[in-house]
Amino acid sequence: MAKRHSTPNIGVLAVQGDFAEHIRMLESLGVEGREVRLPADLNGVDGLILPGGESTAMRKLLHRWDLVKPIKALAKRGAPILGTCAGAILLATKIADGDEPVLSLLDIEVRRNAFGRQLESFETSLVMEGFGKEGRSRTIQAVFIRAPEIVNVGPSAHAVATLEDGRIVAARQGRILGIAFHPEITGETGVHRWLVAEATAALG
Amino acid sequence: MCENRGMPAPKRAKTSTWATKSGLAQMLKGGVIMDVVTPAEAKIAQEAGAVAVMALERVPSDIRRDGGVARMSDPDMIKGIQAAVSIPVMAKARIGHESEARILEALDVDYIDESEVLTPADDRFHINKHDFKVPFVCGCKDLGEALRRINEGAAMMRTKGEAGTGNIVEAVRHIRTVAEEIAALKGQSEKRVRAAAKEMRVPYELVKLTVKAGRLPVVNFVAGGIATPADAALSMWLGADGVFVGSGIFKAKNPAKTAVAIVQATTHWKNASILAEVSAGLGEAMKGIEMRTIPEGERLSKRGW
């Protein structure tokens, strides 16, 4: 039997959203992504991606299929988790304007649809701190689609990317990363490389 | 949160790019888009887990029953639905009706459906969708129709089916046709593919890209006749990226329960025991129409060219 320590098993939440795009990104890095729809799909998973999608729909499906507890347990075991856009909303400890938080794994407050409707969806380049080679910064092209904004970063987390106007769009707390944009649709590999490296490190 | 319009994109950012237009459709994948005619229905849809709603004045089965000319909805009605929910709101314009589309764009809808469910305004041309900031979804029955729409700028497709019938047979036919026509071009010589492109009246490069990917180059949902959780699962099994449900929800005996069940079935389309669980006890589905009883001239899917 092959030893499993070299490539980690990465799960991709597949209740709704662009999970196939994330799985393709992982494949391009030589890592297989596993679709997660039920708690049993998380068995043996070393890292998890919460994709882009419609956060209200994803929230309901997470509760309906009892996925909240096992995902929190996975984080507690030290597995890295990446949330993009709707995924970042699911990770947040606070959601502006009343919605209950879902996973509460990342110490941030997010505001949904913070830029407006689809006509305000946009592309821009931005700098991600610590996601380049040897922990340097990395400039990437980022696509924001009816995106959330991180309106507050709590003491346990820190911002890793801001827009030119200063608004925060990515934040990290240890092995938990939430970003408001979509590297999976531009083919930007830096964030997925980070996840795979963290999952590999967590395997020991 | 619904009244929160947000602070717009930063100054140096580019809006309405191909990535933002086709990207929103990517975010809707694996989800259900529901037709709604009132803010109350929109809330039921959102509560059930819909990824977007289609705001319109009458669902297709009522349009079919009432006859006459079906047009874009009243802007006040669309605004009411936008105010009621935080999920994306789509609205329909007539085929070729640039002005209806401009009005919908001014209303800040998230997607425009250039739809055969409404009465066509132009019997020769569809809307030039590249000229718009807002993205479009269009219907198709076959590969040529899909690629013509994409070439005109559609950022999302839906196979047409036969709207308002509660009968999935045409939807199945259309998604199968698209898949079979792509498969038939796989491994063919450049000469053959060029000939196919010419016949379909689309650029060779677009056909080449489609054949290489083995699928349409934009997100493709199934529409037209989906009425049960099993119908949604079948659509996904046939390769759809997601599902539009029109009359199937609010013409069912129990709309809220049916809406939830169709959402679950779209996620768990591979899991037959979950499908059995969510299909149980929904009450009567919409009545439905046998295709033979609809004269050719009254088939909505024949509209569009």
Side-chain angles (χ1 to χ4, degrees), chain B residues 22 54 56 110 157 179 222 284:
Chain B
S22 57
M54 178 73 69
L56 71 178
D110 295 294
M157 292 303 304
V222 155
E284 210 176 320

Coordinates of all heavy atoms in Angstrom, one line a residue, chain B residues 22 54 56 110 157 179 222 284:
Chain B
S22 N -19.6 35.4 -16.5 CA -19.7 34.0 -16.5 C -19.4 33.4 -15.1 O -20.0 32.4 -14.7 CB -18.7 33.3 -17.5 OG -17.4 33.7 -17.2
M54 N -36.1 34.0 -10.4 CA -36.5 34.6 -11.7 C -37.8 35.3 -11.4 O -38.8 34.7 -11.1 CB -36.7 33.5 -12.7 CG -37.1 34.0 -14.1 SD -35.7 34.9 -15.0 CE -34.7 33.5 -15.3
L56 N -40.9 37.2 -12.4 CA -41.8 37.4 -13.6 C -43.3 37.5 -13.1 O -43.6 37.2 -12.0 CB -41.6 36.3 -14.6 CG -42.0 34.9 -14.4 CD1 -41.7 34.1 -15.7 CD2 -41.4 34.2 -13.3
D110 N -29.6 41.0 -11.6 CA -28.3 40.3 -11.6 C -28.0 39.5 -12.9 O -26.9 39.2 -13.3 CB -28.2 39.3 -10.4 CG -28.2 40.1 -9.1 OD1 -27.2 40.8 -8.9 OD2 -29.2 40.0 -8.4
M157 N -26.0 29.4 -20.2 CA -27.0 28.8 -21.1 C -28.0 28.0 -20.2 O -27.7 27.6 -19.1 CB -26.4 27.8 -22.1 CG -25.6 28.5 -23.2 SD -26.4 29.8 -24.1 CE -27.8 28.8 -24.8
A179 N -25.2 17.4 -25.8 CA -24.1 16.5 -25.4 C -23.7 15.6 -26.6 O -22.5 15.4 -26.9 CB -24.4 15.6 -24.2
V222 N -30.5 23.1 -16.8 CA -31.6 22.5 -17.5 C -32.9 23.3 -17.1 O -33.0 23.8 -16.0 CB -31.8 21.0 -17.0 CG1 -33.2 20.6 -17.2 CG2 -30.9 20.2 -17.9
E284 N -49.5 16.4 -4.3 CA -49.6 16.4 -5.8 C -48.6 17.4 -6.4 O -48.5 18.5 -6.0 CB -51.0 16.8 -6.1 CG -51.5 16.2 -7.4 CD -52.9 16.5 -7.7 OE1 -53.7 16.5 -6.7 OE2 -53.2 16.9 -8.8

